[in-house]
Amino acid sequence: MKRILYDLAAADPALRFSPYCWRIKLALAHKNLPFETIPWRFTEKDKLAFSGQTKVPVLVDGETIIHDSQAIAEYLEITYANQTSLFGDAASRALTYFIKQWTELTLHPVIVKIVLPDIYPQIDQNDQPYFRQSREAVFGKTIEMMAAERDSHLPAFDSILAPIRRTLAAQSFIAGNAPSYADHIVFGALQWARLMSRLTLFDDQDAITLWMAALLNTYGLSQ
Ligand SMILES: N[C@@H](CCC(=O)N[C@@H](CS)C(=O)NCC(=O)O)C(=O)O
């Protein structure tokens, strides 16, 4: 059975930078499910028409088409219940939901202010007018204004990472001794930042760098 993930790509098709797609790549690997990815660009809406969606991730699992990272993770957990759980018990699942909300409402908004000006030059030329227009409308300022303000957001980014760094000093993964979907969610956000920022956000010995490498290594993934 074919399992295909539509995965956001930059101009370089090997550069995959969606935080939500990264969650799902780790989740699929966690469930030990082989998959292929199709690189997808922001303006290739026609390629997703079969799913009725305009955003990725979209997963095609045999005959089943699922979209939205949370729905995909829940689908994988139920459909492949015999494989290692993504969430753990009911209490861990509830805590994972908090991690999702914290990541999307606290971590992502700071990351985007730092990386958005660096994303623009790296995406496909065909995507650039759409990206500029849509993002400038959301943020109410030009990409160049965001670039000028970028460094002022670095202290906030460091403060937000402090609890992650302190947690990883005491335990191997956010979920404890072994990774779970909580790790996948936070990894997705920081991978987006790490891959797209022109700044070195994490040095080699940073607990975050080591944890990200350990996660990729656990699942035999690269990038
Ligand atoms: N809530 C969705 C968010 C998906 C999302 O925002 N995907 C972005 C890539 S990170 C996208 O496809 N954007 C297309 C666009 O902006 O046109 C999820 O969890 O999957």
Side-chain angles (χ1 to χ4, degrees), residues 17 21 58-59 64 85 87 114 118 149 175 199 214:
F17 64 100
C21 293
V58 170
L59 179 72
T64 310
S85 173
F87 305 115
I114 294 169
D118 292 342
E149 291 170 5
L199 302 172

Side-chain angles (χ1 to χ4, degrees), residues 14-69:
L15 182 54
R16 310 296 177 87
F17 64 100
S18 160
Y20 302 103
C21 293
W22 272 106
R23 291 180 192 183
I24 299 309
K25 287 181 275 190
L26 268 55
L28 286 162
H30 185 93
K31 286 280 185 192
N32 213 9
L33 300 168
F35 62 97
E36 289 168 28
T37 60
I38 292 185
W40 177 83
R41 300 321 186 327
F42 286 113
T43 48
E44 295 179 327
K45 306 294 185 201
D46 54 322
K47 282 197 187 168
L48 290 184
F50 73 93
S51 67
Q53 302 308 312
T54 56
K55 291 183 177 183
V56 291
V58 170
L59 179 72
V60 182
D61 190 41
E63 300 297 305
T64 310
I65 300 167
I66 325 120
H67 69 276
D68 186 85
S69 57

